[in-house]
Every structure is written in structure tokens, then in C-alpha cells.
mmCIF file of all heavy atoms in Angstrom:
data_model
loop_
_atom_site.group_PDB
_atom_site.id
_atom_site.type_symbol
_atom_site.label_atom_id
_atom_site.label_comp_id
_atom_site.label_asym_id
_atom_site.label_seq_id
_atom_site.Cartn_x
_atom_site.Cartn_y
_atom_site.Cartn_z
ATOM 1 N N THR A 1 6.017 1.508 0.173
ATOM 2 C CA THR A 1 6.396 2.254 -1.029
ATOM 3 C C THR A 1 7.469 1.479 -1.781
ATOM 4 O O THR A 1 8.458 1.040 -1.182
ATOM 5 C CB THR A 1 6.933 3.647 -0.662
ATOM 6 O OG1 THR A 1 5.956 4.319 0.156
ATOM 7 C CG2 THR A 1 7.204 4.473 -1.907
ATOM 8 N N VAL A 2 7.275 1.308 -3.080
ATOM 9 C CA VAL A 2 8.203 0.535 -3.900
ATOM 10 C C VAL A 2 8.553 1.351 -5.138
ATOM 11 O O VAL A 2 7.667 1.838 -5.847
ATOM 12 C CB VAL A 2 7.589 -0.817 -4.332
ATOM 13 C CG1 VAL A 2 8.573 -1.590 -5.205
ATOM 14 C CG2 VAL A 2 7.191 -1.640 -3.110
ATOM 15 N N VAL A 3 9.855 1.509 -5.404
ATOM 16 C CA VAL A 3 10.308 2.158 -6.632
ATOM 17 C C VAL A 3 10.307 1.121 -7.753
ATOM 18 O O VAL A 3 10.825 0.005 -7.587
ATOM 19 C CB VAL A 3 11.723 2.748 -6.458
ATOM 20 C CG1 VAL A 3 12.263 3.258 -7.798
ATOM 21 C CG2 VAL A 3 11.697 3.878 -5.432
ATOM 22 N N VAL A 4 9.721 1.490 -8.887
ATOM 23 C CA VAL A 4 9.727 0.629 -10.073
ATOM 24 C C VAL A 4 10.670 1.274 -11.084
ATOM 25 O O VAL A 4 10.280 2.186 -11.816
ATOM 26 C CB VAL A 4 8.309 0.480 -10.661
ATOM 27 C CG1 VAL A 4 8.337 -0.486 -11.845
ATOM 28 C CG2 VAL A 4 7.332 0.004 -9.596
ATOM 29 N N PRO A 5 11.940 0.812 -11.137
ATOM 30 C CA PRO A 5 12.952 1.474 -11.979
ATOM 31 C C PRO A 5 12.948 0.920 -13.402
ATOM 32 O O PRO A 5 13.637 -0.048 -13.719
ATOM 33 C CB PRO A 5 14.259 1.130 -11.250
ATOM 34 C CG PRO A 5 14.001 -0.207 -10.630
ATOM 35 C CD PRO A 5 12.521 -0.288 -10.337
ATOM 36 N N LEU A 6 12.182 1.535 -14.270
ATOM 37 C CA LEU A 6 12.052 1.030 -15.639
ATOM 38 C C LEU A 6 13.340 1.162 -16.433
ATOM 39 O O LEU A 6 13.532 0.438 -17.419
ATOM 40 C CB LEU A 6 10.909 1.761 -16.353
ATOM 41 C CG LEU A 6 9.503 1.540 -15.769
ATOM 42 C CD1 LEU A 6 8.462 2.261 -16.625
ATOM 43 C CD2 LEU A 6 9.166 0.057 -15.657
ATOM 44 N N ALA A 7 14.237 2.069 -16.015
ATOM 45 C CA ALA A 7 15.516 2.190 -16.721
ATOM 46 C C ALA A 7 16.307 0.889 -16.610
ATOM 47 O O ALA A 7 16.962 0.464 -17.569
ATOM 48 C CB ALA A 7 16.335 3.344 -16.140
ATOM 49 N N GLU A 8 16.244 0.248 -15.436
ATOM 50 C CA GLU A 8 16.964 -1.012 -15.245
ATOM 51 C C GLU A 8 16.107 -2.229 -15.588
ATOM 52 O O GLU A 8 16.614 -3.257 -16.007
ATOM 53 C CB GLU A 8 17.428 -1.141 -13.791
ATOM 54 C CG GLU A 8 18.453 -0.110 -13.378
ATOM 55 C CD GLU A 8 17.917 0.844 -12.325
ATOM 56 O OE1 GLU A 8 17.898 0.474 -11.143
ATOM 57 O OE2 GLU A 8 17.521 1.969 -12.699
ATOM 58 N N HIS A 9 14.778 -2.106 -15.393
ATOM 59 C CA HIS A 9 13.880 -3.250 -15.589
ATOM 60 C C HIS A 9 12.650 -2.841 -16.395
ATOM 61 O O HIS A 9 11.538 -2.752 -15.856
ATOM 62 C CB HIS A 9 13.452 -3.816 -14.232
ATOM 63 C CG HIS A 9 14.577 -4.255 -13.366
ATOM 64 N ND1 HIS A 9 15.256 -5.440 -13.562
ATOM 65 C CD2 HIS A 9 15.177 -3.650 -12.299
ATOM 66 C CE1 HIS A 9 16.204 -5.566 -12.651
ATOM 67 N NE2 HIS A 9 16.186 -4.494 -11.882
ATOM 68 N N PRO A 10 12.799 -2.578 -17.685
ATOM 69 C CA PRO A 10 11.646 -2.149 -18.488
ATOM 70 C C PRO A 10 10.522 -3.187 -18.512
ATOM 71 O O PRO A 10 9.350 -2.837 -18.697
ATOM 72 C CB PRO A 10 12.240 -1.935 -19.884
ATOM 73 C CG PRO A 10 13.535 -2.681 -19.878
ATOM 74 C CD PRO A 10 14.041 -2.650 -18.480
ATOM 75 N N ASP A 11 10.863 -4.463 -18.295
ATOM 76 C CA ASP A 11 9.855 -5.517 -18.330
ATOM 77 C C ASP A 11 8.945 -5.492 -17.115
ATOM 78 O O ASP A 11 7.925 -6.192 -17.076
ATOM 79 C CB ASP A 11 10.540 -6.891 -18.427
ATOM 80 C CG ASP A 11 11.564 -7.097 -17.325
ATOM 81 O OD1 ASP A 11 12.380 -6.182 -17.115
ATOM 82 O OD2 ASP A 11 11.559 -8.162 -16.677
ATOM 83 N N TRP A 12 9.295 -4.689 -16.097
ATOM 84 C CA TRP A 12 8.455 -4.606 -14.903
ATOM 85 C C TRP A 12 7.187 -3.768 -15.132
ATOM 86 O O TRP A 12 6.320 -3.715 -14.257
ATOM 87 C CB TRP A 12 9.241 -4.000 -13.737
ATOM 88 C CG TRP A 12 10.248 -4.943 -13.147
ATOM 89 C CD1 TRP A 12 10.594 -6.176 -13.623
ATOM 90 C CD2 TRP A 12 11.030 -4.723 -11.968
ATOM 91 N NE1 TRP A 12 11.557 -6.746 -12.826
ATOM 92 C CE2 TRP A 12 11.844 -5.880 -11.801
ATOM 93 C CE3 TRP A 12 11.144 -3.691 -11.054
ATOM 94 C CZ2 TRP A 12 12.739 -6.007 -10.753
ATOM 95 C CZ3 TRP A 12 12.032 -3.812 -10.004
ATOM 96 C CH2 TRP A 12 12.817 -4.956 -9.850
ATOM 97 N N PHE A 13 7.113 -3.100 -16.286
ATOM 98 C CA PHE A 13 5.975 -2.208 -16.536
ATOM 99 C C PHE A 13 4.647 -2.939 -16.358
ATOM 100 O O PHE A 13 3.721 -2.424 -15.714
ATOM 101 C CB PHE A 13 6.074 -1.613 -17.940
ATOM 102 C CG PHE A 13 4.936 -0.695 -18.293
ATOM 103 C CD1 PHE A 13 4.914 0.618 -17.844
ATOM 104 C CD2 PHE A 13 3.867 -1.146 -19.069
ATOM 105 C CE1 PHE A 13 3.857 1.464 -18.158
ATOM 106 C CE2 PHE A 13 2.814 -0.304 -19.386
ATOM 107 C CZ PHE A 13 2.810 1.004 -18.926
ATOM 108 N N TRP A 14 4.534 -4.131 -16.927
ATOM 109 C CA TRP A 14 3.248 -4.840 -16.846
ATOM 110 C C TRP A 14 3.009 -5.415 -15.461
ATOM 111 O O TRP A 14 1.859 -5.661 -15.077
ATOM 112 C CB TRP A 14 3.182 -5.932 -17.919
ATOM 113 C CG TRP A 14 3.135 -5.317 -19.281
ATOM 114 C CD1 TRP A 14 4.114 -5.315 -20.220
ATOM 115 C CD2 TRP A 14 2.056 -4.546 -19.818
ATOM 116 N NE1 TRP A 14 3.717 -4.604 -21.329
ATOM 117 C CE2 TRP A 14 2.459 -4.122 -21.110
ATOM 118 C CE3 TRP A 14 0.791 -4.180 -19.357
ATOM 119 C CZ2 TRP A 14 1.647 -3.351 -21.925
ATOM 120 C CZ3 TRP A 14 -0.026 -3.405 -20.168
ATOM 121 C CH2 TRP A 14 0.401 -3.000 -21.432
ATOM 122 N N ASN A 15 4.091 -5.604 -14.685
ATOM 123 C CA ASN A 15 3.901 -6.066 -13.303
ATOM 124 C C ASN A 15 3.141 -5.034 -12.461
ATOM 125 O O ASN A 15 2.456 -5.380 -11.499
ATOM 126 C CB ASN A 15 5.257 -6.362 -12.648
ATOM 127 C CG ASN A 15 5.931 -7.576 -13.260
ATOM 128 O OD1 ASN A 15 5.277 -8.387 -13.911
ATOM 129 N ND2 ASN A 15 7.234 -7.698 -13.062
ATOM 130 N N ILE A 16 3.314 -3.755 -12.836
ATOM 131 C CA ILE A 16 2.598 -2.687 -12.122
ATOM 132 C C ILE A 16 1.108 -2.948 -12.165
ATOM 133 O O ILE A 16 0.403 -2.936 -11.143
ATOM 134 C CB ILE A 16 2.909 -1.310 -12.755
ATOM 135 C CG1 ILE A 16 4.401 -0.997 -12.689
ATOM 136 C CG2 ILE A 16 2.082 -0.214 -12.097
ATOM 137 C CD1 ILE A 16 4.796 0.195 -13.558
ATOM 138 N N TRP A 17 0.615 -3.206 -13.357
ATOM 139 C CA TRP A 17 -0.834 -3.323 -13.540
ATOM 140 C C TRP A 17 -1.353 -4.673 -13.052
ATOM 141 O O TRP A 17 -2.516 -4.779 -12.648
ATOM 142 C CB TRP A 17 -1.183 -3.069 -14.999
ATOM 143 C CG TRP A 17 -0.495 -1.810 -15.470
ATOM 144 C CD1 TRP A 17 0.478 -1.696 -16.407
ATOM 145 C CD2 TRP A 17 -0.685 -0.493 -14.930
ATOM 146 N NE1 TRP A 17 0.910 -0.400 -16.509
ATOM 147 C CE2 TRP A 17 0.213 0.368 -15.619
ATOM 148 C CE3 TRP A 17 -1.516 0.041 -13.947
ATOM 149 C CZ2 TRP A 17 0.294 1.727 -15.352
ATOM 150 C CZ3 TRP A 17 -1.430 1.399 -13.683
ATOM 151 C CH2 TRP A 17 -0.542 2.225 -14.378
ATOM 152 N N ARG A 18 -0.487 -5.697 -13.037
ATOM 153 C CA ARG A 18 -0.885 -6.958 -12.420
ATOM 154 C C ARG A 18 -1.076 -6.760 -10.917
ATOM 155 O O ARG A 18 -2.005 -7.310 -10.321
ATOM 156 C CB ARG A 18 0.176 -8.029 -12.689
ATOM 157 C CG ARG A 18 0.279 -8.450 -14.152
ATOM 158 C CD ARG A 18 1.206 -9.632 -14.341
ATOM 159 N NE ARG A 18 1.354 -9.975 -15.754
ATOM 160 C CZ ARG A 18 2.365 -9.549 -16.517
ATOM 161 N NH1 ARG A 18 3.321 -8.792 -15.978
ATOM 162 N NH2 ARG A 18 2.421 -9.876 -17.789
ATOM 163 N N ARG A 19 -0.171 -5.949 -10.315
ATOM 164 C CA ARG A 19 -0.279 -5.703 -8.870
ATOM 165 C C ARG A 19 -1.535 -4.896 -8.551
ATOM 166 O O ARG A 19 -2.209 -5.147 -7.539
ATOM 167 C CB ARG A 19 0.974 -4.959 -8.388
ATOM 168 C CG ARG A 19 1.043 -4.774 -6.894
ATOM 169 C CD ARG A 19 1.197 -6.112 -6.191
ATOM 170 N NE ARG A 19 1.211 -5.962 -4.746
ATOM 171 C CZ ARG A 19 0.119 -5.889 -3.976
ATOM 172 N NH1 ARG A 19 -1.092 -5.956 -4.534
ATOM 173 N NH2 ARG A 19 0.215 -5.757 -2.677
ATOM 174 N N ILE A 20 -1.866 -3.924 -9.404
ATOM 175 C CA ILE A 20 -3.094 -3.141 -9.212
ATOM 176 C C ILE A 20 -4.319 -4.036 -9.369
ATOM 177 O O ILE A 20 -5.290 -3.937 -8.602
ATOM 178 C CB ILE A 20 -3.144 -1.963 -10.211
ATOM 179 C CG1 ILE A 20 -2.011 -0.973 -9.922
ATOM 180 C CG2 ILE A 20 -4.490 -1.263 -10.158
ATOM 181 C CD1 ILE A 20 -2.021 -0.406 -8.512
ATOM 182 N N ARG A 21 -4.272 -4.948 -10.348
ATOM 183 C CA ARG A 21 -5.401 -5.886 -10.536
ATOM 184 C C ARG A 21 -5.621 -6.719 -9.283
ATOM 185 O O ARG A 21 -6.768 -6.972 -8.889
ATOM 186 C CB ARG A 21 -5.110 -6.786 -11.734
ATOM 187 C CG ARG A 21 -6.217 -7.798 -12.037
ATOM 188 C CD ARG A 21 -5.769 -8.785 -13.088
ATOM 189 N NE ARG A 21 -4.580 -9.522 -12.635
ATOM 190 C CZ ARG A 21 -3.869 -10.334 -13.410
ATOM 191 N NH1 ARG A 21 -4.207 -10.505 -14.677
ATOM 192 N NH2 ARG A 21 -2.804 -10.963 -12.930
ATOM 193 N N ASP A 22 -4.514 -7.132 -8.632
ATOM 194 C CA ASP A 22 -4.639 -7.925 -7.406
ATOM 195 C C ASP A 22 -5.359 -7.137 -6.315
ATOM 196 O O ASP A 22 -6.174 -7.694 -5.563
ATOM 197 C CB ASP A 22 -3.254 -8.346 -6.902
ATOM 198 C CG ASP A 22 -2.577 -9.331 -7.846
ATOM 199 O OD1 ASP A 22 -3.278 -9.916 -8.693
ATOM 200 O OD2 ASP A 22 -1.344 -9.501 -7.733
ATOM 201 N N GLU A 23 -5.055 -5.839 -6.191
ATOM 202 C CA GLU A 23 -5.729 -5.004 -5.191
ATOM 203 C C GLU A 23 -7.214 -4.861 -5.517
ATOM 204 O O GLU A 23 -8.075 -4.945 -4.633
ATOM 205 C CB GLU A 23 -5.076 -3.616 -5.133
ATOM 206 C CG GLU A 23 -3.690 -3.589 -4.522
ATOM 207 C CD GLU A 23 -3.717 -3.905 -3.040
ATOM 208 O OE1 GLU A 23 -4.523 -3.293 -2.301
ATOM 209 O OE2 GLU A 23 -2.936 -4.781 -2.610
ATOM 210 N N LEU A 24 -7.515 -4.638 -6.792
ATOM 211 C CA LEU A 24 -8.915 -4.479 -7.195
ATOM 212 C C LEU A 24 -9.704 -5.764 -6.954
ATOM 213 O O LEU A 24 -10.883 -5.723 -6.597
ATOM 214 C CB LEU A 24 -8.994 -4.082 -8.670
ATOM 215 C CG LEU A 24 -8.285 -2.780 -9.086
ATOM 216 C CD1 LEU A 24 -8.474 -2.526 -10.575
ATOM 217 C CD2 LEU A 24 -8.793 -1.596 -8.277
ATOM 218 N N ALA A 25 -9.049 -6.904 -7.136
ATOM 219 C CA ALA A 25 -9.720 -8.191 -6.942
ATOM 220 C C ALA A 25 -10.146 -8.388 -5.489
ATOM 221 O O ALA A 25 -11.074 -9.166 -5.206
ATOM 222 C CB ALA A 25 -8.803 -9.330 -7.375
ATOM 223 N N LEU A 26 -9.490 -7.673 -4.562
ATOM 224 C CA LEU A 26 -9.847 -7.745 -3.146
ATOM 225 C C LEU A 26 -10.955 -6.753 -2.785
ATOM 226 O O LEU A 26 -11.283 -6.570 -1.607
ATOM 227 C CB LEU A 26 -8.610 -7.463 -2.287
ATOM 228 C CG LEU A 26 -7.478 -8.507 -2.385
ATOM 229 C CD1 LEU A 26 -6.234 -8.006 -1.660
ATOM 230 C CD2 LEU A 26 -7.943 -9.843 -1.801
ATOM 231 N N GLY A 27 -11.494 -6.071 -3.811
ATOM 232 C CA GLY A 27 -12.572 -5.118 -3.570
ATOM 233 C C GLY A 27 -12.082 -3.731 -3.224
ATOM 234 O O GLY A 27 -12.861 -2.899 -2.730
ATOM 235 N N ARG A 28 -10.800 -3.469 -3.461
ATOM 236 C CA ARG A 28 -10.226 -2.169 -3.128
ATOM 237 C C ARG A 28 -10.158 -1.282 -4.368
ATOM 238 O O ARG A 28 -10.519 -1.690 -5.466
ATOM 239 C CB ARG A 28 -8.833 -2.365 -2.503
ATOM 240 C CG ARG A 28 -8.896 -3.211 -1.234
ATOM 241 C CD ARG A 28 -7.517 -3.638 -0.757
ATOM 242 N NE ARG A 28 -7.604 -4.543 0.388
ATOM 243 C CZ ARG A 28 -6.568 -5.199 0.895
ATOM 244 N NH1 ARG A 28 -5.359 -5.047 0.350
ATOM 245 N NH2 ARG A 28 -6.729 -6.006 1.936
ATOM 246 N N GLN A 29 -9.676 -0.056 -4.180
ATOM 247 C CA GLN A 29 -9.599 0.918 -5.272
ATOM 248 C C GLN A 29 -8.185 1.459 -5.400
ATOM 249 O O GLN A 29 -7.351 1.299 -4.493
ATOM 250 C CB GLN A 29 -10.580 2.069 -5.012
ATOM 251 C CG GLN A 29 -12.043 1.664 -5.034
ATOM 252 C CD GLN A 29 -12.913 2.702 -4.364
ATOM 253 O OE1 GLN A 29 -13.083 2.680 -3.139
ATOM 254 N NE2 GLN A 29 -13.461 3.633 -5.150
ATOM 255 N N ALA A 30 -7.915 2.134 -6.525
ATOM 256 C CA ALA A 30 -6.542 2.588 -6.784
ATOM 257 C C ALA A 30 -6.526 3.937 -7.483
ATOM 258 O O ALA A 30 -7.460 4.296 -8.201
ATOM 259 C CB ALA A 30 -5.797 1.561 -7.638
ATOM 260 N N PHE A 31 -5.434 4.674 -7.235
ATOM 261 C CA PHE A 31 -5.133 5.912 -7.959
ATOM 262 C C PHE A 31 -3.992 5.644 -8.942
ATOM 263 O O PHE A 31 -3.057 4.904 -8.626
ATOM 264 C CB PHE A 31 -4.639 7.007 -7.010
ATOM 265 C CG PHE A 31 -5.647 7.507 -6.016
ATOM 266 C CD1 PHE A 31 -5.634 7.051 -4.707
ATOM 267 C CD2 PHE A 31 -6.579 8.471 -6.379
ATOM 268 C CE1 PHE A 31 -6.539 7.532 -3.768
ATOM 269 C CE2 PHE A 31 -7.485 8.961 -5.450
ATOM 270 C CZ PHE A 31 -7.469 8.490 -4.144
#
């Protein structure tokens, strides 16, 4: 479990979806 604190790091928003893309690329699924 990882907290993504956008108040301190607003630029991390797109990292969220890059990380989800990495999971999908392995043939997995996401909520």
C-alpha cells in the first residue's frame, strides 16, 4: 500500500497511471 500525497507532490498524479499501465502490461487487471 502506497500513499500518493498530491498536496505535497501534485506531479505524481501521472505516475499513478504509469504504474497501472505497468501492471496491465503484465496481463493483470486493476480497479
Side-chain angles (χ1 to χ4, degrees):
T1 306
V2 179
V3 172
V4 183
L6 296 183
E8 295 114 80
H9 302 283
D11 54 312
W12 286 7
F13 179 80
W14 293 109
N15 291 342
I16 300 168
W17 312 114
R18 292 188 183 96
R19 186 66 182 84
I20 295 302
R21 180 189 60 189
D22 293 343
E23 289 292 310
L24 301 181
L26 295 171
R28 301 169 185 171
Q29 295 162 274
F31 294 100

